[in-house]
Amino acid sequence: MNEPLNKRRDSYQSNIGHVMVGGSAPVMVQSMTNTDTADIAATVAQTKALADAGSEVVRITVNNEASAKAVPAIREQLDAMGCNVPLVGDFHYNGHTLLKTYPDMAAALGKYRINPGNVGFKDKHDTQFAQMVEAAIFHNKPVRIGVNWGSLDQQMLARVMDENAGSANPKDANGVAREALVRSAIESAAAAENIGLRKEAILLSCKVSRVQDLIAVYRDLAKRCHYALHLGLTEAGMGSKGIVASTAALSVLLQEGIGDTIRISLTPEPNGDRTQEVRVAQEILQTMGLRSFTPQVTACPGCGRTTSTVFQHLADKIQTYLRNQMPSWKHQYVGVEEMNVAVMGCIVNGPGESKHANIGISLPGTGESPAAPVFIDGQKAMTLRGDNIAEEFMAIVQKYVEDTYSQGQKQNVA
C-alpha cells in the first residue's frame, strides 16, 4: 500500500534507532509498557510482546533510580532475544537528574520524552529543560517534546490567558487551552534548537482527551511547524469507547496527511492484553490504506439467511491463524501482509466478495446447498463439502501463501 498523496512530507525526517520518522517515512506505530520498569523480567517480557505484535517503538517509564538502573539490563536482554525495538524513556519531574546520574541508561534509550509542563517549575524550568536537551545532544538521541493538557505549563497558560483577555476577539476557554498547548510545544522546540539540538531530532505532540480538541490542536500545530508529529488521544478510555474515540480522532488527521507516529492509549481491561493498543493502531493504518501489517479478513455480519454460525467460527479461526503466523511469515513471505481473505456466510454477496479477495470462501446459508465454493485470485478453484471445511480451507490458505509470496520478491496483489 502507498502513502496518500496528501501525506505531510515537509516534516523533518529523523530516526529512532533503526526506525525512520517524519517526511516520507511510513506512519510509525508506538506503544508503552505499564510494568514497573525496575522489574526487569516483566518489562522485558511486555516489551517483547508489544514488539512481536508490531510496535515499532516502545516507551517505558523512567521515574526513579531503580528504573534508571534497570534500563541497560532491559536493553541487553532484549538484544539477546533478537528484539531490537527502540526504547523511549518517559521522563517527568526528575529526568534531568536521572539522565546525568545514569549515563548508561541515557545511552541505552533510543529517544527521550520531555514534558515541558513538569520538567521544572518557575526559575528551574529553563535550566532543567536545557540539561535534558544537552543529554540528548551528548548521546545523539532524538527528543519528543510531549505537551499534555493534563500537565500543561501553568506559566504558559497564564501568559496566553492574559493575552486573550486583552484581545479584540478573545477565544473561549478551550481555545485558550489549545493555543497554550501548541505554543508550549513550538516554543520548547525552538528553545531546544537554540541549545543545539538538531531540528531533525525533535518530534512534537500535544495530547488531549477529547476528539474535536485533538483534531483542532494538530491542524494548528501542523500549520505552524515542520517538526515530525506524534499523534494520540490521551486517556482514550477502555474497550470500544477508547477504540472508537481514538479511531475517530486519528483517522481525520491521518486522512489530512497529519501524523508521523501514532499511539492508541487504551485502558486495558482487568488482566487484559496490552498488545491490543498495537493491533488497533495497525488496523487504523491498514483500514485507511496507509500501511499493511497482516492479511485482512473480510467477513459478512450475518443475517436471517445465515442462521448457521459456521462462517463466524471460520472467520475468527482464520483471522487468529493469520495474525499468529505473521511473526514468522513476515520474514519468509514478502508481501503476505497485503493478502486479503474473504469468509462469507451465504450466496448473496459471498461469491462476489470472494472473487475480490486473493482467496475467499462462500459458506452455505440457511437452506442453501451444503457446498462451499472457494475462489483464488478471482477464479473458482474448488468446492468444499463435509465436516472438515475449516481445516481444508486453512490448508488452502497456507498453500496459497507458500506459492504466491517468496523471500526477496515483492508481489503485486489485488
Side-chain angles (χ1 to χ4, degrees):
M1 293 187 180
N2 296 320
E3 295 286 352
L5 295 177
N6 66 338
K7 183 179 187 293
R8 178 176 174 259
R9 299 179 185 275
D10 63 345
S11 59
Y12 305 129
Q13 191 172 72
S14 183
N15 65 296
I16 304 170
H18 60 281
V19 181
M20 297 303 299
V21 179
S24 60
V27 179
M28 184 188 72
V29 174
Q30 179 174 312
S31 60
M32 184 176 185
T33 60
N34 63 354
T35 58
D36 180 353
T37 305
D39 186 338
I40 295 172
T43 303
V44 167
Q46 191 174 85
T47 300
K48 179 69 162 53
L50 291 167
D52 286 347
S55 183
E56 293 158 302
V57 172
V58 176
R59 184 157 50 113
I60 61 176
T61 296
V62 186
N63 61 330
N64 52 36
E65 291 188 356
S67 62
K69 290 177 180 177
V71 170
I74 293 169
R75 178 73 274 163
E76 183 178 348
Q77 290 189 25
L78 288 169
D79 289 343
M81 299 165 72
C83 179
N84 63 350
V85 64
L87 300 176
V88 179
D90 194 43
F91 296 101
H92 299 276
Y93 305 107
N94 59 354
H96 61 292
T97 299
L98 295 175
L99 285 168
K100 180 179 179 180
T101 306
Y102 299 99
D104 289 347
M105 173 271 292
L109 293 170
K111 183 175 73 170
Y112 309 155
R113 186 276 175 100
I114 302 176
N115 185 343
N118 57 34
V119 71
F121 301 102
K122 297 184 179 180
D123 59 338
K124 294 182 179 180
H125 177 279
D126 292 351
T127 299
Q128 294 176 183
F129 177 83
Q131 289 172 346
M132 295 190 72
V133 171
E134 287 164 356
I137 295 169
F138 180 82
H139 292 283
N140 193 29
K141 306 294 182 181
V143 168
R144 173 161 71 93
I145 296 173
V147 184
N148 191 307
W149 74 354
S151 53
L152 182 59
D153 183 343
Q154 294 303 297
Q155 289 181 288
M156 172 64 72
L157 180 60
R159 175 151 56 96
V160 175
M161 290 176 65
D162 288 343
E163 292 175 6
N164 188 65
S167 172
N169 298 296
K171 297 180 172 70
D172 61 16
N174 267 7
V176 170
R178 292 196 299 265
E179 174 63 22
L181 283 165
V182 172
R183 198 180 300 184
S184 177
I186 292 176
E187 291 186 10
S188 295
E193 282 197 60
N194 288 336
I195 295 166
L197 189 64
R198 295 177 299 108
K199 59 182 180 291
E200 295 86 2
I202 299 172
L203 297 86
L204 299 185
S205 66
C206 289
K207 291 193 176 182
V208 301
S209 56
R210 293 202 292 256
V211 170
Q212 295 297 341
D213 286 310
L214 190 82
I215 294 170
V217 163
Y218 274 92
R219 282 174 171 167
D220 192 17
L221 189 60
K223 289 177 182 177
R224 292 164 64 174
C225 77
H226 296 287
Y227 301 106
L229 302 181
H230 170 81
L231 303 185
L233 188 75
T234 192
E235 290 95 34
M238 181 181 288
S240 60
K241 185 270 179 186
I243 294 171
V244 170
S246 294
T247 303
L250 270 60
S251 296
V252 171
L253 293 167
L254 291 167
Q255 186 65 27
E256 295 178 6
I258 299 171
D260 298 289
T261 76
I262 65 171
R263 192 255 169 135
I264 308 302
S265 300
L266 298 180
T267 302
E269 303 280 352
N271 301 313
D273 186 353
R274 188 71 169 180
T275 61
Q276 183 185 24
E277 67 177 48
V278 178
R279 292 194 297 273
V280 172
Q282 290 179 329
E283 287 165 3
I284 290 172
L285 294 174
Q286 186 150 352
T287 300
M288 293 185 68
L290 299 177
R291 292 188 65 182
S292 295
F293 297 96
T294 191
Q296 296 291 286
V297 176
T298 300
C300 68
C303 66
R305 298 177 62 89
T306 56
T307 52
S308 168
T309 61
V310 173
F311 81 97
Q312 298 171 12
H313 293 297
L314 181 57
D316 179 65
K317 184 178 290 188
I318 289 293
Q319 189 159 282
T320 301
Y321 170 74
L322 294 174
R323 183 168 289 280
N324 289 342
Q325 291 295 102
M326 275 308 294
S328 61
W329 275 3
K330 66 183 178 183
H331 300 296
Q332 293 177 273
Y333 305 112
V334 177
V336 68
E337 68 276 2
E338 297 183 4
M339 181 175 68
N340 185 264
V341 179
V343 179
M344 304 300 293
C346 80
I347 200 170
V348 174
N349 293 318
E353 285 287 355
S354 295
K355 289 177 183 178
H356 288 306
N358 296 110
I359 181 167
I361 186 170
S362 179
L363 292 163
T366 303
E368 294 178 11
S369 173
V374 174
F375 297 83
I376 297 177
D377 291 329
Q379 302 297 318
K380 183 178 177 181
M382 63 202 72
T383 300
L384 302 181
R385 294 180 172 86
D387 297 329
N388 299 313
I389 287 177
E391 290 72 19
E392 291 175 15
F393 184 65
M394 288 176 67
I396 292 168
V397 172
Q398 176 68 41
K399 187 174 188 306
Y400 181 86
V401 170
E402 293 171 355
D403 292 346
T404 307
Y405 305 97
S406 60
Q407 182 65 37
Q409 184 177 355
K410 185 74 172 180
Q411 301 291 324
N412 292 317
V413 294

